[in-house]
């Protein structure tokens, strides 16, 4: 992660980049619209459950398993093939995220290790820990060369320190940096995209921006398609313009997730869902 200058709060410095404040305000308005919907006052648990399902579907699609929502809803066995296992991993991570909110600010590396363990659902030596020198990364949809193990460990420690120290930065900025850094590093041998998007969700929920988890950014990232990887290139560049573009992309993804849940609210209101 790069910032525009040395500061005690580098995440807050990113919040001052051109266009970021506008993205933050746009996200806040989109989230407020969902929470202000009359259906949310009576049926928020249903909206949360549906958002979790749609978010998991979107995250799986970005990891190569682009299933129709009804197929995800219908299936009970996710062990049959590679795509089914990806969808199953996304669903498990979505369920696990809510259990880790209280741990995140005290021990983010412990949370990331747990997320990888849940996603991988195996007990190999490489599961639940950052990769070591010589270990390969299985993340075929991200073509950027992964950093070496020493850089991964150093940057993970730096990210952990930032989260534990806290920041005055808007939740969107913190969530975007956590997401971007994990995608850039690909610290685990597999499932890094799924873990990164789940970590973004944890930040958005735990920060209080989306406390009921009804604005699934994963839906927006999937809807934006190729723009997701193009925006990641901007993050990896470390330039102010690239960082701002990545944060704006993540903001747009949250807005699209909010729009998705607003549509669910309206369908429930009409009795059509």
């Amino acid at each position: 992660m790069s910032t525009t200058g040395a500061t005690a709060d580098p995440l807050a410095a990113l919040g001052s980049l051109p266009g970021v404040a506008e993205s933050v305000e746009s996200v806040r308005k989109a989230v407020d619209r969902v929470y202000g919907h009359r259906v949310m006052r009576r049926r928020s648990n249903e909206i949360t459950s549906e958002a979790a399902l749609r978010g998991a579907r979107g995250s799986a699609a970005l990891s190569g398993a682009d299933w129709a929502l009804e197929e995800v809803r219908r299936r009970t066995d996710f062990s049959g093939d590679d795509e089914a296992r990806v969808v199953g991993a996304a669903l498990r991570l979505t369920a696990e995220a809510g259990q880790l909110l209280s741990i995140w600010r005290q021990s983010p590396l412990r949370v990331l290790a747990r997320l990888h363990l849940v996603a991988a659902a195996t007990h190999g030596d490489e599961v639940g820990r950052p990769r070591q020198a010589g270990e390969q990364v299985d993340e075929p949809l991200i073509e950027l060369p992964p950093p070496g193990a020493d850089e991964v460990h150093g940057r993970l420690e730096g990210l952990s320190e930032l989260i534990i120290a806290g920041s005055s930065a808007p939740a969107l900025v913190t969530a975007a940096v956590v997401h971007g850094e994990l995608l850039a590093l690909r610290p685990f041998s597999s499932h890094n995209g799924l873990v990164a998007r789940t970590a973004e969700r944890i930040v958005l929920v735990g920060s209080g921006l989306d406390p009921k988890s009804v604005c699934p950014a994963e839906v927006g990232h999937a809807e934006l398609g190729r723009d997701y990887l193009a925006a990641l290139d901007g993050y990896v560049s470390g330039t102010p313009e690239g960082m701002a573009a990545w944060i704006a992309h993540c903001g747009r993804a949250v807005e699209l997730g909010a729009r998705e849940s607003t549509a669910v609210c309206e369908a429930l209101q009409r009795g059509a869902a």
Side-chain angles (χ1 to χ4, degrees):
M1 183 186 72
S2 174
T3 67
T4 54
T7 172
D9 191 349
L11 293 175
L14 294 175
S16 66
L17 292 173
V20 171
E22 291 82 355
S23 293
V24 169
E25 180 61 21
S26 184
V27 165
R28 169 53 65 189
K29 289 179 179 178
V31 173
D32 285 348
R33 279 193 293 272
V34 180
Y35 279 84
H37 199 286
R38 67 176 61 186
V39 170
M40 278 293 293
R41 292 194 290 270
R42 297 178 288 109
R43 305 175 71 174
S44 63
N45 288 342
E46 292 176 65
I47 307 303
T48 296
S49 295
E50 186 65 18
L53 185 71
R54 294 179 184 222
R57 193 218 73 83
S59 192
L62 289 165
S63 287
D66 191 1
W67 287 15
L69 180 63
E70 291 310 313
E71 177 66 9
V72 179
R73 199 189 305 278
R74 181 188 67 81
R75 286 283 284 270
T76 56
D77 180 9
F78 295 96
S79 62
D81 54 36
D82 288 346
E83 286 196 4
R85 285 189 286 272
V86 168
V87 175
L91 289 167
R92 290 192 301 274
L93 286 173
T94 298
E96 187 74 13
Q99 311 302 314
L100 299 171
L101 294 171
S102 63
I103 305 172
W104 174 254
R105 281 292 301 274
Q106 286 74 43
S107 186
L109 296 184
R110 178 181 164 195
V111 169
L112 293 175
R114 173 62 184 170
L115 292 176
H116 187 243
L117 183 67
V118 169
T122 65
H123 298 286
D125 291 341
E126 77 284 358
V127 173
R129 61 156 175 79
R131 53 189 169 83
Q132 299 174 355
E135 292 181 338
Q136 300 301 306
V137 179
D138 181 15
E139 204 72 40
L141 299 184
I142 299 178
E143 297 180 353
L144 295 168
D150 288 344
E151 182 178 350
V152 166
H153 284 259
R155 286 172 62 174
L156 277 180
E157 287 292 340
L159 181 64
S160 176
E161 289 169 5
L162 284 177
I163 294 165
I164 293 170
S167 173
S168 62
L172 172 64
V173 173
T174 303
V177 167
V178 167
H179 185 172
E181 192 73 353
L182 292 174
L183 281 183
L185 293 178
R186 278 146 290 161
F188 301 108
S189 58
S190 63
H191 300 90
N192 290 286
L194 294 173
V195 168
R197 291 183 288 274
T198 305
E200 179 186 47
R201 174 185 286 266
I202 288 172
V203 174
L204 293 171
V205 174
S207 67
L209 176 63
D210 179 21
K212 294 184 182 294
S213 194
V214 296
C215 302
E218 305 96 324
V219 169
H221 289 305
E223 186 171 333
L224 291 168
R226 293 185 179 181
D227 290 346
Y228 182 60
L229 296 181
L232 177 62
D233 286 342
Y235 179 88
V236 172
S237 76
T239 65
E241 296 80 8
M243 297 293 287
W246 170 251
I247 294 168
H249 167 88
C250 290
R252 181 61 179 148
V254 176
E255 291 180 53
L256 290 170
R259 186 183 70 179
E260 185 91 351
S261 286
T262 299
V264 172
C265 286
E266 292 173 354
L268 286 171
Q269 186 170 283
R270 295 191 304 268

